[in-house]
Amino acid sequence: MWGNVGPRVVQLSPLERVRLRRVAVRYALHGWDVTPGACLARSRFVCGRAGCPTVGCHPALENWEHAASADPARVATWWRTRPHGVLLPTGRAFDVLEVPTHLGRHVLDAVQTHPAGVGVRGPVLVTPTGRWMFLVRPGDPLRPELDHCFHVVRHGPGSWIPAPPTRLPEGTVRWAVAPEQARWQLPDSYLVQNALIDALRATGVTLTSDLLPGHLPLPRRGM
């Protein structure tokens, strides 16, 4: 199915292609489901599926939710012939809280010195377009203050994120805090959300809450 799009795909060096495969397999070895992304072709992405109208970063497989896997052998086969992007489905091993750069830096500084210690520190990736993505334990919805805040996007079931070292037209996705630095541990979502709320208020953003004082959700998991 790739015969008509192969020449347009960005050519990566053998080292870059090996790195993509090795990193994808490493994610799988740590229990993170992986799915191949469409290949970068100049300023757009091509997945090889006939008639696919999506030109932005997207999964290469139409049934990506079902096909995503943490089996290292299966993951390795996807990168043997094509320089796929590395996509990580969310709502499984982790959820993701996505924010713009000015909030991301503020929150990262806050969690470095958070009184909860390592319980609030986890992997954080940054896209070349300036989106910061905090990986957190899955299953917790956004607090009411954040639910209608356009600065914050929660990625849960049915969504995915591009993971390093995926290349986008603007540059390469990178880790601000690599999983190894966080010992592959994930922080409680509400602890990170609390830091987000503090950061938003510090920048002058007015937040609304549907909850009465004293009824705000607390971290539900022990540190």
Side-chain angles (χ1 to χ4, degrees), residues 39-152:
C39 297
L40 182 62
R42 297 183 181 174
S43 61
R44 59 169 291 174
F45 289 85
V46 292
C47 63
R49 287 186 275 126
C52 178
T54 307
V55 298
C57 185
H58 65 285
L61 305 176
E62 188 171 10
N63 64 336
W64 67 269
E65 287 188 77
H66 176 74
S69 176
D71 177 6
R74 185 178 185 184
V75 169
T77 62
W78 285 326
W79 275 268
R80 281 181 183 150
T81 58
R82 307 297 302 178
H84 293 291
V86 181
L87 308 185
L88 303 178
T90 55
R92 301 182 182 193
F94 53 81
D95 286 348
V96 167
L97 301 175
E98 178 184 344
V99 299
T101 296
H102 69 282
L103 282 180
R105 295 186 184 279
H106 198 297
V107 172
L108 186 58
D109 289 343
V111 300
Q112 299 281 10
T113 57
H114 197 281
V118 296
V120 75
R121 300 169 204 165
V124 183
L125 67 80
V126 183
T127 72
T129 57
R131 304 298 296 180
W132 286 55
M133 301 190 184
F134 292 78
L135 278 63
V136 298
R137 295 174 191 167
D140 292 325
L142 288 177
R143 284 182 47 160
E145 297 96 326
L146 301 176
D147 199 25
H148 300 290
C149 178
F150 67 88
H151 295 287
V152 181

Side-chain angles (χ1 to χ4, degrees), residues 187-202:
D188 186 280
S189 176
Y190 284 140
L191 287 175
V192 178
Q193 289 187 47
N194 290 345
L196 271 172
I197 289 170
D198 290 342
L200 285 162
R201 286 173 174 158

Side-chain angles (χ1 to χ4, degrees), residues 11 54 142 215 221:
Q11 296 300 307
T54 307
L142 288 177
H215 289 73
R221 304 176 181 86

